[in-house]
């Protein structure tokens, strides 16, 4: 199913500052509130703080070129976007630099890195309606074990996953004695071989994947699943 990019600017919002979300009232008293747009600046933990303070349906706009700590996006229907050049940098290890852990999240225009880490962007298991567009995922790995991956969709059931117009590059994996799967993946749908679940309504296209290196082997650049270990 093709997706119209107009969805990324579909919300009527107003800007109210760097972290605190502003609300735009609709109609008369008691009519409720619309989504808010918040500009985030300052780097470090400011983006996670803004996510934690956001409400469902809000938009966070990163308004500078600073480096931000890894984030977990646990607010439904939240959009994170930028017209600047900030970097979200992972902490290394087996975690992701950006973890999508709520339905309806949109990530647009971000640069995501995770030097010495396993994952760039991860859609957590059983999350639906994730939209990952026009992002750059680069400089991930090496970790010496498992499969370094730019964008991964975790195990479980998923519906309406869109991964379009991203650049994934310069991912690296190296072998160690306990390396497990010292491999590299551009985009990975991580199936459970014993209970593979169901993935429906998926759009993956126009992604540029380059500069994947492993001293053991290369995996599919744009679509793959976990190999059997039996």
């Amino acid at each position: 199913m093709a997706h119209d990019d107009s969805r990324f600017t579909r919300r009527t919002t107003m800007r109210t500052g760097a972290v605190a979300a502003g609300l735009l009232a609709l109609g008369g008293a008691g009519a409720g509130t619309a989504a808010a747009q918040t500009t985030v600046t300052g780097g470090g933990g400011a983006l996670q703080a803004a996510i934690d303070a956001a409400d469902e349906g809000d938009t966070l706009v990163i308004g500078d070129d600073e480096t931000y700590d890894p984030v977990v996006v646990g607010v439904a229907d939240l959009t994170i976007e930028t017209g600047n050049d900030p970097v979200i940098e992972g902490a290394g290890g087996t975690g992701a630099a950006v973890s999508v852990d709520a339905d309806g999240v949109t990530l647009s225009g971000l640069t995501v890195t995770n030097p010495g880490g396993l994952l760039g962007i991860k859609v957590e298991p059983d999350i639906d309606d994730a939209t990952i567009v026009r992002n750059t995922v680069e400089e991930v790995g090496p970790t010496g074990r498992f499969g370094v991956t730019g964008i991964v969709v975790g195990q479980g059931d998923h519906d309406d996953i869109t991964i379009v117009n991203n650049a994934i590059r310069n991912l690296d994996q190296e072998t160690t004695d306990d390396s497990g799967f010292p491999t590299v993946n551009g985009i990975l749908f991580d199936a459970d071989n014993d209970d593979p679940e169901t993935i429906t309504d998926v759009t993956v296209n126009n992604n540029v994947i380059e500069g994947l290196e492993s001293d053991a082997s290369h995996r599919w650049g744009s679509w793959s699943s976990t190999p059997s270990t039996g």
Side-chain angles (χ1 to χ4, degrees), residues 149-222:
T149 304
I151 300 173
V152 58
V153 179
Q155 297 178 2
D157 292 322
H158 296 277
D159 180 64
D160 194 12
I161 304 295
T162 299
I163 304 173
V164 173
N165 293 333
N166 300 282
I168 301 168
R169 60 195 182 208
N170 301 335
L171 312 185
D172 182 32
Q173 186 59 293
E174 299 174 3
T175 305
T176 64
D177 291 340
D178 60 350
S179 58
F181 297 116
T183 53
V184 178
N185 313 283
I187 299 172
L188 171 69
F189 282 73
D190 191 9
D192 183 335
N193 290 286
D194 296 326
D195 186 14
E197 308 297 340
T198 301
I199 301 175
T200 56
D201 193 13
V202 173
T203 301
V204 180
N205 58 42
N206 294 331
N207 298 287
V208 176
I209 301 174
E210 59 187 0
L212 276 61
E213 297 185 11
S214 169
D215 62 5
S217 63
H218 289 275
R219 297 288 305 283
W220 296 0
S222 60

Side-chain angles (χ1 to χ4, degrees), residues 31-221:
T33 58
Q37 179 170 298
T38 300
T39 299
V40 182
T41 58
L47 181 56
Q48 185 65 66
I51 292 168
D52 294 343
D55 293 321
E56 292 187 10
D58 284 357
T59 296
L60 302 180
V61 180
I62 304 176
D64 59 17
D65 299 335
E66 298 296 321
T67 298
Y68 289 83
D69 296 341
V71 294
V72 176
V73 187
V75 179
D77 299 319
L78 186 69
T79 294
I80 303 175
E81 60 186 22
T82 185
N84 294 83
D85 192 24
V87 175
I88 302 175
E89 184 172 309
T94 59
V98 179
S99 176
V100 176
D101 201 19
D103 294 340
V105 170
T106 295
L107 307 176
S108 180
L110 309 177
T111 296
V112 176
T113 71
N114 198 356
L118 189 67
L119 307 173
I121 298 172
K122 181 178 182 180
V123 179
E124 296 291 344
D126 299 311
I127 295 300
D128 297 331
D129 193 22
T131 301
I132 302 170
V133 294
R134 297 187 296 273
N135 302 285
T136 297
V137 181
E138 60 186 4
E139 307 300 337
V140 180
T143 65
R145 59 194 301 268
F146 300 124
V148 166
T149 304
I151 300 173
V152 58
V153 179
Q155 297 178 2
D157 292 322
H158 296 277
D159 180 64
D160 194 12
I161 304 295
T162 299
I163 304 173
V164 173
N165 293 333
N166 300 282
I168 301 168
R169 60 195 182 208
N170 301 335
L171 312 185
D172 182 32
Q173 186 59 293
E174 299 174 3
T175 305
T176 64
D177 291 340
D178 60 350
S179 58
F181 297 116
T183 53
V184 178
N185 313 283
I187 299 172
L188 171 69
F189 282 73
D190 191 9
D192 183 335
N193 290 286
D194 296 326
D195 186 14
E197 308 297 340
T198 301
I199 301 175
T200 56
D201 193 13
V202 173
T203 301
V204 180
N205 58 42
N206 294 331
N207 298 287
V208 176
I209 301 174
E210 59 187 0
L212 276 61
E213 297 185 11
S214 169
D215 62 5
S217 63
H218 289 275
R219 297 288 305 283
W220 296 0

